[in-house]
Amino acid sequence: MTKNSTVSKVLEKTYQYGFLSEVESEKIPKGINEDVIRLISTKKKEPQFLLDFRLRAYKQWKRMDEPTWANINYPKIDYQEIVYYSAPKDIEKKKSLDDIDPEILKTFDKLGIPLNEQKRLSNVAVDAVFDSVSIATTFKEKLAEDGVIFCSISEAVQEYPDLIKQYLGKVVPINDNFFAALNSAVFSDGSFVYIPKGIQCPMELSSYFRINSGDTGQFERTLIIAEEKASVSYLEGCTAPMFDTNTLHAAVVELIALDDASIKYSTVQNWYSGDKNGVGGIYNFVTKRGQCKGRRSKISWSQVETGSSITWKYPSCILEGESSVGEFYSVALTNNKQIADTGTKMIHIGKNTKSTIISKGISAGHSKNSYRGKVHIGAKAIGAKNYSQCDSLLIGDNAEANTYPYIHSKQVVSNIEHEASTSKISEDQLFYLRSRGISNEEAISMMVSGFCRDVFNELPMEFASEADSLLGLKLEGTVG
Amino acid sequence: MKKIFYPEWINSIPSNDGVLEETQKLAREELKQNGIPKKSSEEWRLTNSAFIKEFFNLPLNSNNTKLKLNRIDNLRRSLVKLEFNNDSIFEANLCNGIEKLSEEEIKLCLSENSIRRKDFYDFNKTINEASNNRLIGFKINSKEIKSLEIDIKAEVSELVPTRVIIIVEEGLEVDILEIIEGSRGASHSHLIEIYIKDFSTVNHAIVSIGKDSAKLMASILVNQEKQSNYSLTCIQKGWTFSRLEQKVIQLNGNAKTNIQGLQIANNQQELATHSRVRFNGPNGYLKQIQKSILDDESHSIFNGMIEVPKIAQRTEASQLSKNLLLSSKAKVDTSPQLKIIADDVKCNHGATISQLSNEELFYLQSRGINIKKANQLLINAFCNEILDNLPIQESTWSLLSKALENIKSQ
Amino acid sequence: MNQKKLILEIKDLYAGIEGKDILNGVNLKIHEGEIHAIMGRNGSGKSTLSKVIAGHPEYTISSGEIIFKDKDLTQLEPEDRSNQGVFLGFQYPIEIAGVKNIDFLRVAVNARRKILLKNELDTFEFEDLVEENLRIVKMEKDFLERGVNEGFSGGEKKRNEILQMALLEPIISILDETDSGLDIDALRIVAAGINKLHSDQKATVLITHYQRLLNEIKPDFVHIMKDGEIIKTGNKQLAIELEREGYENFQNPLDKNK
C-alpha cells in the first residue's frame, strides 16, 4: 500500500514544455486536395519536379488505406480538418536573427536551444523548425568552409535542386506507406545535410522541432547524405504545447551513406503526450530509414522516446553495401495512457553485413509499450550477423509490455541471435539503494537509468545527460 | 458478391445428424464465409496457400481411417482398438479407467470450444469441424491408466479428419503418445483437446512423420487446471506441408507447462508451429524450446505467443527458438512474441539462426572423424536436446522407436 | 567513568515474514563506543534482526520497539533510517546492473550529508573523498566505474560494503556475516577497515557464525541468538566457549526451566 502510493507518486509528472507561444502565424485553410498541394509548392517557390513529386504522392495516398495492423486504436483522423501549412507571419522577409519575432527566439530559449550568437551552443549547429518552417540555422557559414551543407530542406530545394532531385524519395519511396505518402505530398520543412567526400563533420548537427499551433500537422522531411568516407552525427529534438486535441506528426527521414561513410542519428522525442487520462497529445507516426549504400558504410539510430500520445515508428537500415553496419539503440518510456509501438527493421542484403539492436522499453501507468522489429537476411547476405536484445521493465500492474520480433533468414552462412526479457523493478535492489539513504523516488529513477545504460552510452555526450534527466523528469514527481 | 468457398466440396461432405450436427453446420458456414485465410492475417501470412488449397481437392475419407488407441502396462501392450467408422468405438474394449464421454459431455466440450471470436478465424479447427463426422471422446479416471498410444495412419490420397477429446481427471499421471503417419498424398486434419484437472500430470508427445507428399494440419488445444503439469513434445518430419497449432491455457494459473518442438525439413517442405500460451491466473510456469533443422529449399516457421494478462502475477515464462540452416536455399521465419501486462513476472525469449559451427566441425575432423560423420554428430546433438526430453520411455513404445530411428537417420 | 550514551535499544521485538514468526522478543541495548557480536546458527534470526532494524519492507513487526537515539525507528522508511545513521552491511550485497557504483555512492553520500547539515559534494569533490576511502578497503579505482556490485567477487562485494560504511559515516553499523566467503587476506582487510571506522562515538554490531572475525575485531559483548531470542550474553570468552563446545550446549535458560 505504501509502496504502491510511492511508486505512483514517482510517476506523476508535468510536461515542462507545454507552454504556447503567442506568435502570429499565417495558415492556409484546413484540408487537403490538389490545390492545397499546389499552394504549398507555390508558397515555397518550388521547381516543377518537386510539385510533380508531391502530386504523384498525393495520388498514391488517396488510393491507400490507413494501416491498422498494429492494433493501435485511436479515433479516426479527419485529414480534411488538418492545416497543412502554418508559418510565423512574414517569415520570408527575415534575413537575420534580429528580424525574427522575439517571441519565437524566446520559445527556443525556453526550450534550452538559444539561437542568438552570444548564447548559442558552441559545438552544435542548430536548425530550428517552428511549425512548418525552418526559423534559423546556426553555424552555416562555418560548416560551409568544409563544404558541409546544413540548411532547411526548403532552402536546399532552391540552392541544391540537383541533390534533392537525385536523393529525395529514394530511400523511402512515395508509396512506401500511408503516412510517408501523405508526408511526400505535403511536407513543409525539415533539415538537409550533405557531407562531402572525406569530411568528418566538425560539429554535431541538430534540428529542433517545435509544434506550436494546435490544428497544424507537422510533416517535416529530413534528408542526410554522407559521401564516401564522410561522417556526421545528427541530433533531433521535439516538443509541443499542451492541447486537448491530438496533433498529427508524420515525418519522413531518409539517410544515405556511401562507401566508408557513417551517419549517427539521435532523437530525443518529447512531444506532448496528452494528460493523465490520455486526452490530447501528438500522434507521432514517423517513417525513418537509412540506406547503407556503400561498402563498409554505417548507419546508427539512437532514440529516446518519452513523449507523444501514440508513437509509431521503426527507424530502419537497408544494409546493401558489403560489410555495412546498421545499429539501433532505443529507450521508450510510456506512462499514463501513452502507446509506443517502436522498433526497427534491419534488412541485410549485402555480404558480411552486421546489425545490432538494443531496445529498452519501460511501461508505467496504463500505457502500452511494444517492441516490434524485423530482421531480414536475404539470400545473398553471406556472413550476415545480427544481435538483438529487447528488455522491458514494467512499473505498476496496469502497464503492458509486448515484444514482437520477426526474424527471417534465407542465408545459411549467417548468425542471428535474439534475446528478450521482461521484469519489474526488483524489490531487493530497491531496498539496497534505500538502505543507503537514497529516496524511493530517486532509487527508482536510478534503476531506470541503469536499465537504459547500454543505450545512453550510444548517445552523443550532450544528449546522454539530457536523456537521463528527461527520464528522471518523466518519473519524478518534482519538476522545477 | 462474395464468392462462396468450394461449394461443391463442402456440399459433398456427408453431414452428421448426431452430436456433431450443430458444430458442423456452424463450421461449414464459417468456412463458406471466410474461405482460405488471407495473407494479410498475421497467423497465415507466411503460409503457402497452394498447400492449403490441395486439401480441398481431396475426397473425404469415409470409413477406413486407422486410429488405434493402445493402453500400455508394464511394457506390455494391451490393445484397446478404436476405429472411427462406427459408433461401437465407444463401447468396445474400454478397459478400466477409461470411460466414454456421454453425449452431454461431448456437447459441453464442443460448445466450450466453439465460442468463436468474431475477429479470430481458426481455420485449422474449422476445416476439421466442417469435414469431421467422427470423434473419440473419453475420460481417464483411474491411476491404472499410465500410458496411452494413439496411432493415426493414412495411406491414400484423401482428407482424413480425426478428433480426440480427452479429459484427465484429478490427481492422475498419464503419458499420451500420438503417432501420426501419412503417405501417398494423404492429408490429415487432426484435432486433439485435452482437459487436465487439478493436480494431474500429462506428458504428451506427438511424433508426426509424413512421406510421399503427405500433408498435416493439426491443432492441440489444452486447458490446464491449477497444480497441473503438462508437457508437450512435437516432432514434425517429412511432410510436404505441416502446420501444428498449439494452444495451451492455464485456466487459473498455478500450473506448469513445458513445450518442446522439433521440425526437420528438406526438399521443398514447409513445416510450421504456431503456439499460443495464455496464463489466466498467477504463479504460472512455462518453458518452451522450439528447434528446426532445414535443408535444401525447405521453409520453417515458428510463431510463438505468450500472453500474461494482469491477473497472471508471478508468472515465469521462457521461450527459445533455435534454427539450424544447412542449405543456402532454405529459409526460416521465427517470431517469438510476448504480450505482458502483469508487472511481477519473469519472462524471456530468444531466437537464434545459425549454421553448423566450423570450429566444432574442425575439432571433430582433427580427431579423425570424416566431415559427413561430423556433420551427422552435430545434427544429432542438436536434435537430442528435444528427443532426450520425450516424456516417455522410448523402450516402451515400439512405434516411437521406429519413428525416432527415422528421424535420427536424417 | 562517564555514563555512556545509549545509541540503540531494542525492546521486546517480535517480527516475521509472511505470517511466519522469526523474532520472538529480542531485547538489546547498545551504547556508544561498544562493539557487539551476535552469534547463532542459521535460522536463529540474526539476519532477520538486522533487516528489521534497517526496515526491509518484507518483514512485519508485530510488537516491540527499536529506539535509535531516543526515536522509534519502526515507522521510518529504510532511506530515513540510513540518513539518520543506521548502516546495514548486507550478507549478500545485490548486483544492480547499469547503475554505476560511483553515481550510486555519490547520491547516497549526499543524502546523508544533507541530514548532517554538510554541503552537497560535486562530482570532483566526491571523487577526492572516495579515493581517500578506497585506501581503507584497498580497492582499485576502476570498481567505481562498474555497475553496483556487478560482476564483483564475494570479497569485492564485502569491501564495497565497507567502503559505503566509510563514506556514509553511520552512528551504528550492523554488519551481517561480513566475514562469510572471505579468504584470510580479504578478512584482514575488511576487519582492519571496520576497526579503523569504529570510534568512541559510534557502535558496531557484528553478526557472525564463527569466532575467527572476533580474533580480528574484539567485541565488548557477545550475544547468542536462538529461535529468535538472545539467550545468553557474555564477553569475548563466550565466543571462544561457543567455538569449542558448539551451539548445542547453549540452551535458552527459559527452556531449561520448562
Side-chain angles (χ1 to χ4, degrees):
Chain A
M1 309 120 279
T2 50
K3 190 187 87 201
N4 282 344
S5 66
T6 33
V7 168
S8 61
K9 209 176 78 196
V10 166
L11 290 169
E12 279 168 27
K13 45 110 198 128
T14 51
Y15 184 65
Q16 64 167 356
Y17 305 112
F19 60 89
L20 174 69
S21 309
E22 289 297 327
V23 175
E24 247 194 291
S25 61
E26 181 205 354
K27 287 180 187 174
I28 62 170
K30 284 175 180 175
I32 180 167
N33 53 48
E34 274 201 27
D35 292 340
V36 165
I37 289 162
R38 284 176 201 281
L39 183 62
I40 293 172
S41 193
T42 313
K43 278 199 176 293
K44 302 173 83 68
K45 303 191 182 73
E46 287 175 354
Q48 186 64 34
F49 82 86
L50 200 55
L51 176 62
D52 293 344
F53 176 91
R54 288 177 183 277
L55 291 172
R56 264 201 325 273
Y58 176 65
K59 280 195 188 110
Q60 294 276 1
W61 179 74
K62 273 203 302 189
R63 284 202 292 267
M64 295 168 97
D65 291 324
E66 203 165 327
T68 53
W69 48 264
N71 291 322
I72 294 170
N73 296 315
Y74 54 90
K76 218 173 152 38
I77 298 171
D78 186 346
Y79 292 92
Q80 299 304 341
E81 278 300 306
I82 295 173
V83 173
Y84 289 87
Y85 184 85
S86 160
K89 267 235 161 91
D90 305 327
I91 189 74
E92 290 104 299
K93 289 176 202 151
K94 282 149 196 168
K95 288 282 178 287
S96 81
L97 281 174
D98 305 334
D99 300 326
I100 295 174
D101 188 336
E103 192 60 34
I104 294 180
L105 291 180
K106 234 159 69 193
T107 303
F108 282 97
D109 267 2
K110 255 165 127 175
L111 298 171
I113 320 284
L115 296 173
N116 62 38
E117 263 174 76
Q118 297 81 43
K119 285 193 275 177
R120 70 192 186 187
L121 304 164
S122 59
N123 53 347
V124 181
V126 177
D127 181 28
V129 180
F130 192 86
D131 281 345
S132 304
V133 171
S134 167
I135 297 303
T137 311
T138 61
F139 291 111
K140 248 156 94 172
E141 297 75 20
K142 186 160 184 292
L143 289 166
E145 289 168 19
D146 283 317
V148 171
I149 304 171
F150 179 40
C151 62
S152 72
I153 202 144
S154 308
E155 204 178 326
V157 168
Q158 305 300 327
E159 308 283 327
Y160 317 101
D162 293 345
L163 284 172
I164 298 289
K165 209 170 170 176
Q166 187 183 348
Y167 289 110
L168 190 75
K170 292 300 185 308
V171 184
V172 179
I174 52 174
N175 60 351
D176 187 81
N177 67 66
F178 183 83
F179 295 107
L182 178 62
N183 175 287
S184 302
V186 301
F187 72 87
S188 39
D189 217 335
S191 303
F192 176 76
V193 176
Y194 176 83
I195 316 288
K197 195 169 168 179
I199 296 294
Q200 320 281 309
C201 188
M203 59 175 84
E204 303 266 356
L205 305 184
S206 139
S207 287
Y208 200 90
F209 297 97
R210 172 75 179 173
I211 296 180
N212 198 57
S213 81
D215 52 358
T216 305
Q218 175 112 352
F219 303 96
E220 86 263 1
R221 184 107 194 173
T222 297
L223 178 58
I224 300 178
I225 302 152
E227 290 278 6
E228 283 173 39
K229 295 197 170 67
S231 75
V232 62
S233 168
Y234 177 91
L235 333 171
E236 169 193 67
C238 356
T239 57
M242 296 191 263
F243 289 111
D244 54 8
T245 50
N246 297 104
T247 310
L248 176 65
H249 171 247
V252 170
V253 175
E254 296 177 282
L255 314 181
I256 295 146
L258 301 179
D259 285 2
D260 298 293
S262 97
I263 302 175
K264 186 175 177 69
Y265 193 106
S266 316
T267 306
V268 171
Q269 186 265 105
N270 190 20
W271 296 117
Y272 176 54
S273 61
D275 69 7
K276 253 192 214 155
N277 304 313
V279 176
I282 303 282
Y283 291 158
N284 188 34
F285 300 161
V286 171
T287 308
K288 290 183 169 176
R289 196 173 301 152
Q291 184 184 18
C292 283
K293 209 175 157 103
R295 294 168 174 224
R296 296 170 300 277
S297 57
K298 177 176 172 185
I299 289 179
S300 175
W301 298 100
S302 42
Q303 59 173 26
V304 176
E305 301 282 325
T306 61
S308 298
S309 72
I310 305 175
T311 294
W312 200 358
K313 69 177 241 197
Y314 315 97
S316 306
C317 297
I318 300 169
L319 302 168
E320 219 174 272
E322 205 178 305
S323 303
S324 58
V325 175
E327 293 175 341
F328 176 73
Y329 300 97
S330 170
V331 166
L333 172 77
T334 54
N335 195 359
N336 298 324
K337 298 254 169 101
Q338 276 178 282
I339 298 173
D341 200 295
T342 183
T344 183
K345 284 191 230 174
M346 292 291 173
I347 313 293
H348 291 253
I349 297 170
K351 280 185 194 167
N352 295 318
T353 44
K354 253 168 78 177
S355 63
T356 306
I357 300 171
I358 310 277
S359 162
K360 307 276 178 177
I362 302 139
S363 353
H366 284 81
S367 69
K368 187 171 163 182
N369 199 331
S370 306
Y371 168 81
R372 196 184 298 271
K374 181 169 189 173
V375 175
H376 178 104
I377 312 280
K380 288 179 184 153
I382 297 169
K385 273 192 186 144
N386 162 264
Y387 174 75
S388 312
Q389 188 194 331
C390 310
D391 297 320
S392 310
L393 189 66
L394 286 151
I395 301 176
D397 59 2
N398 291 307
E400 187 172 337
N402 305 320
T403 319
Y404 306 111
Y406 301 91
I407 303 165
H408 175 89
S409 177
K410 283 188 182 167
Q411 178 45 247
V412 55
V413 192
S414 68
N415 243 306
I416 303 169
E417 268 180 71
H418 170 92
E419 289 174 39
S421 73
T422 303
S423 54
K424 66 164 189 165
I425 286 190
S426 139
E427 288 298 326
D428 284 332
Q429 293 182 340
L430 201 56
F431 176 65
Y432 188 78
L433 294 178
R434 291 177 70 190
S435 77
R436 295 299 176 256
I438 297 168
S439 72
N440 195 48
E441 193 167 305
E442 192 155 11
I444 290 179
S445 158
M446 271 176 102
M447 280 162 61
V448 168
S449 298
F451 173 76
C452 302
R453 180 71 53 218
D454 303 348
V455 173
F456 287 168
N457 286 344
E458 296 300 325
L459 291 173
M461 278 289 269
E462 293 81 3
F463 254 27
S465 56
E466 189 185 329
D468 216 1
S469 57
L470 188 60
L471 283 195
L473 282 183
K474 285 287 266 197
L475 289 165
E476 275 172 31
T478 51
V479 179
Chain B
M1 262 292 280
K2 207 169 171 180
K3 208 181 91 191
I4 293 179
F5 176 79
Y6 289 92
E8 297 91 29
W9 185 83
I10 291 179
N11 294 331
S12 74
I13 315 171
S15 33
N16 190 288
D17 50 7
V19 66
L20 290 171
E21 189 182 355
E22 187 61 27
T23 312
Q24 207 174 58
K25 247 194 221 158
L26 279 171
R28 286 178 189 182
E29 212 39 57
E30 205 178 343
L31 202 58
K32 280 182 192 166
Q33 289 287 320
N34 296 297
I36 287 174
K38 290 185 186 62
K39 276 270 173 203
S40 60
S41 83
E42 185 57 43
E43 292 277 310
W44 291 87
R45 68 186 178 93
L46 298 166
T47 305
N48 182 349
S49 54
F51 288 130
I52 310 172
K53 284 181 187 142
E54 289 174 25
F55 276 75
F56 301 102
N57 291 326
L58 294 173
L60 187 72
N61 167 280
S62 46
N63 54 11
N64 56 349
T65 314
K66 292 202 175 69
L67 181 143
K68 287 189 287 183
L69 177 65
N70 299 326
R71 174 189 159 201
I72 289 164
D73 313 296
N74 307 323
L75 310 184
R76 268 193 13 255
R77 175 179 313 220
S78 56
L79 197 67
V80 185
K81 198 172 177 187
L82 298 179
E83 284 178 1
F84 270 125
N85 55 345
N86 56 47
D87 268 353
S88 63
I89 54 166
F90 296 126
E91 323 297 342
N93 286 329
L94 281 178
C95 52
N96 283 344
I98 298 184
E99 189 186 311
K100 176 198 153 186
L101 293 182
S102 68
E103 280 203 5
E104 284 67 45
E105 284 170 312
I106 288 177
K107 270 188 186 154
L108 191 69
C109 289
L110 293 179
S111 69
E112 260 179 38
N113 251 322
S114 291
I115 304 165
R116 289 195 172 77
R117 282 165 41 207
K118 262 195 188 147
D119 56 336
F120 188 71
Y121 174 40
D122 190 341
F123 178 72
N124 256 31
K125 200 169 144 216
T126 307
I127 188 174
N128 188 289
E129 291 186 334
S131 57
N132 203 345
N133 265 312
R134 300 156 309 194
L135 173 151
I136 286 184
F138 57 89
K139 63 177 134 188
I140 300 172
N141 52 20
S142 156
K143 286 192 174 163
E144 277 176 53
I145 304 295
K146 295 245 183 303
S147 36
L148 284 172
E149 186 176 297
I150 300 169
D151 303 331
I152 306 170
K153 196 170 185 179
E155 293 176 310
V156 245
S157 188
E158 286 180 333
L159 173 62
V160 186
T162 47
R163 183 169 189 173
V164 180
I165 298 177
I166 304 175
I167 296 174
V168 179
E169 293 289 1
E170 282 182 26
L172 304 178
E173 247 190 271
V174 191
D175 287 356
I176 299 170
L177 172 66
E178 293 185 85
I179 296 188
I180 304 175
E181 290 175 282
S183 58
R184 297 185 198 142
S187 292
H188 284 276
S189 163
H190 180 58
L191 190 53
I192 178 159
E193 287 135 88
I194 305 179
Y195 297 83
I196 308 171
K197 298 280 176 71
D198 301 16
F199 298 99
S200 279
T201 296
V202 173
N203 292 326
H204 183 198
I206 298 182
V207 178
S208 74
I209 296 174
K211 55 184 181 189
D212 318 327
S213 67
K215 289 182 272 298
L216 167 70
M217 275 203 268
S219 288
I220 302 138
L221 308 169
V222 179
N223 287 322
Q224 281 186 261
E225 289 288 355
K226 55 186 190 298
Q227 308 300 337
S228 66
N229 263 307
Y230 176 66
S231 159
L232 171 66
T233 306
C234 288
I235 292 162
Q236 299 173 67
K237 181 181 185 284
W239 303 95
T240 297
F241 167 77
S242 86
R243 179 183 169 104
L244 287 190
E245 293 190 6
Q246 311 161 340
K247 290 192 190 90
V248 179
I249 301 174
Q250 294 193 359
L251 296 168
N252 298 299
N254 292 296
K256 268 191 167 174
T257 309
N258 272 290
I259 302 176
Q260 291 97 239
L262 180 62
Q263 293 164 202
I264 302 172
N266 60 10
N267 298 325
Q268 283 161 330
Q269 296 165 357
E270 177 184 310
L271 306 184
T273 299
H274 294 256
S275 97
R276 184 177 283 259
V277 179
R278 187 178 166 88
F279 297 89
N280 276 350
N283 305 311
Y285 173 90
L286 167 72
K287 189 175 173 201
Q288 180 170 22
I289 175 161
Q290 183 70 29
K291 288 192 167 189
S292 72
I293 301 175
L294 295 115
D295 207 346
D296 305 325
E297 290 167 51
S298 60
H299 184 192
S300 164
I301 300 166
F302 172 65
N303 211 314
M305 170 66 90
I306 299 175
E307 289 175 290
V308 188
K310 193 174 163 183
I311 193 169
Q313 294 293 352
R314 296 176 300 285
T315 296
E316 244 188 276
S318 72
Q319 186 181 52
L320 182 63
S321 155
K322 282 178 125 175
N323 303 276
L324 191 58
L325 271 170
L326 301 177
S327 144
S328 58
K329 287 188 177 133
K331 59 181 180 180
V332 174
D333 280 286
T334 177
S335 183
Q337 311 187 23
L338 292 171
K339 234 176 129 60
I340 298 170
I341 302 181
D343 69 331
D344 189 1
V345 297
K346 268 191 208 146
C347 293
N348 55 67
H349 64 188
T352 62
I353 302 178
S354 56
Q355 69 277 17
L356 290 175
S357 145
N358 282 333
E359 290 292 315
E360 289 170 8
L361 282 174
F362 174 71
Y363 184 83
L364 294 175
Q365 282 176 285
S366 76
R367 296 295 176 265
I369 298 167
N370 73 38
I371 183 79
K372 203 178 155 210
K373 186 80 193 154
N375 268 312
Q376 192 59 55
L377 279 172
L378 291 179
I379 291 169
N380 282 351
F382 184 83
C383 296
N384 281 342
E385 194 181 346
I386 304 295
L387 299 179
D388 289 350
N389 274 321
L390 273 178
I392 300 138
Q393 281 293 307
E394 216 179 294
S395 58
T396 40
W397 306 86
S398 60
L399 268 171
L400 179 62
S401 329
K402 220 173 74 196
L404 290 179
E405 276 309 300
N406 186 332
I407 284 164
K408 284 182 175 166
S409 70
Q410 159 86 31
Chain C
M1 218 168 77
N2 285 343
Q3 179 78 39
K4 282 194 293 181
K5 260 197 264 170
L6 190 61
I7 290 182
L8 185 78
E9 182 174 12
I10 296 169
K11 287 186 192 164
D12 221 17
L13 185 67
Y14 286 80
I17 187 167
E18 285 167 3
K20 205 177 110 205
D21 299 332
I22 302 177
L23 299 184
N24 298 306
V26 175
N27 287 290
L28 186 63
K29 278 186 188 177
I30 296 168
H31 297 86
E32 59 181 19
E34 291 176 354
I35 298 179
H36 289 241
I38 298 176
M39 303 181 76
R41 287 178 151 180
N42 282 336
S44 60
K46 316 184 294 285
S47 285
T48 298
L49 178 63
S50 69
K51 283 185 181 149
V52 169
I53 296 170
H56 196 291
E58 277 177 18
Y59 294 88
T60 354
I61 294 175
S62 42
S63 68
E65 285 174 296
I66 305 169
I67 311 290
F68 174 69
K69 298 184 76 187
D70 305 327
K71 266 195 293 189
D72 187 5
L73 284 183
T74 52
Q75 295 307 312
L76 291 186
E77 298 292 336
E79 58 266 37
D80 298 331
R81 301 184 198 205
S82 170
N83 288 333
Q84 296 298 325
V86 177
F87 180 87
L88 169 62
F90 284 75
Q91 182 178 6
Y92 303 109
I94 194 155
E95 300 191 12
I96 308 177
V99 175
K100 270 210 285 183
N101 210 10
I102 182 120
D103 293 340
F104 154 66
L105 293 171
R106 193 178 67 246
V107 174
V109 165
N110 279 330
R112 172 86 173 118
R113 287 178 73 90
K114 209 168 165 185
I115 300 294
L116 296 175
L117 303 172
K118 292 185 184 172
N119 67 314
E120 195 168 300
L121 298 178
D122 67 26
T123 328
F124 301 107
E125 292 166 329
F126 182 69
E127 267 181 34
D128 294 343
L129 178 69
V130 172
E131 272 177 48
E132 260 171 55
N133 285 285
L134 276 176
R135 269 176 252 137
I136 298 177
V137 286
K138 298 202 164 69
M139 272 168 80
E140 295 299 325
K141 247 183 109 175
D142 55 318
F143 280 106
L144 301 171
E145 295 301 316
R146 286 158 65 180
V148 175
N149 295 321
E150 194 181 353
F152 285 21
S153 72
E156 288 166 349
K157 281 181 184 165
K158 294 294 166 73
R159 282 193 265 169
N160 201 23
E161 293 293 290
I162 304 302
L163 175 65
Q164 291 167 37
M165 175 177 155
L167 288 168
L168 292 175
E169 302 177 54
I171 294 164
I172 185 163
S173 304
I174 301 153
L175 305 170
D176 189 5
E177 304 274 359
T178 294
D179 51 336
S180 71
L182 296 186
D183 62 34
I184 192 71
D185 292 327
L187 181 76
R188 290 216 169 103
I189 293 170
V190 166
I194 296 169
N195 281 327
K196 186 155 190 258
L197 295 171
H198 186 73
S199 77
D200 286 348
Q201 287 80 46
K202 294 178 177 176
T204 305
V205 179
L206 307 166
I207 292 176
T208 182
H209 252 74
Y210 307 106
Q211 77 89 32
R212 67 169 191 168
L213 180 69
L214 307 183
N215 292 334
E216 307 290 331
I217 307 169
K218 304 273 181 284
D220 303 303
F221 299 95
V222 173
H223 310 275
I224 298 175
M225 246 183 121
K226 194 183 176 190
D227 301 331
E229 280 180 85
I230 290 176
I231 55 164
K232 197 172 168 86
T233 295
N235 56 16
K236 174 84 181 43
Q237 196 55 36
L238 182 59
I240 296 167
E241 268 174 52
L242 193 65
E243 185 95 340
R244 201 174 52 228
E245 295 173 25
Y247 287 107
E248 275 306 309
N249 293 312
F250 289 90
Q251 292 280 322
N252 189 336
L254 293 175
D255 285 349
K256 259 183 199 166
N257 296 342
K258 275 177 197 167

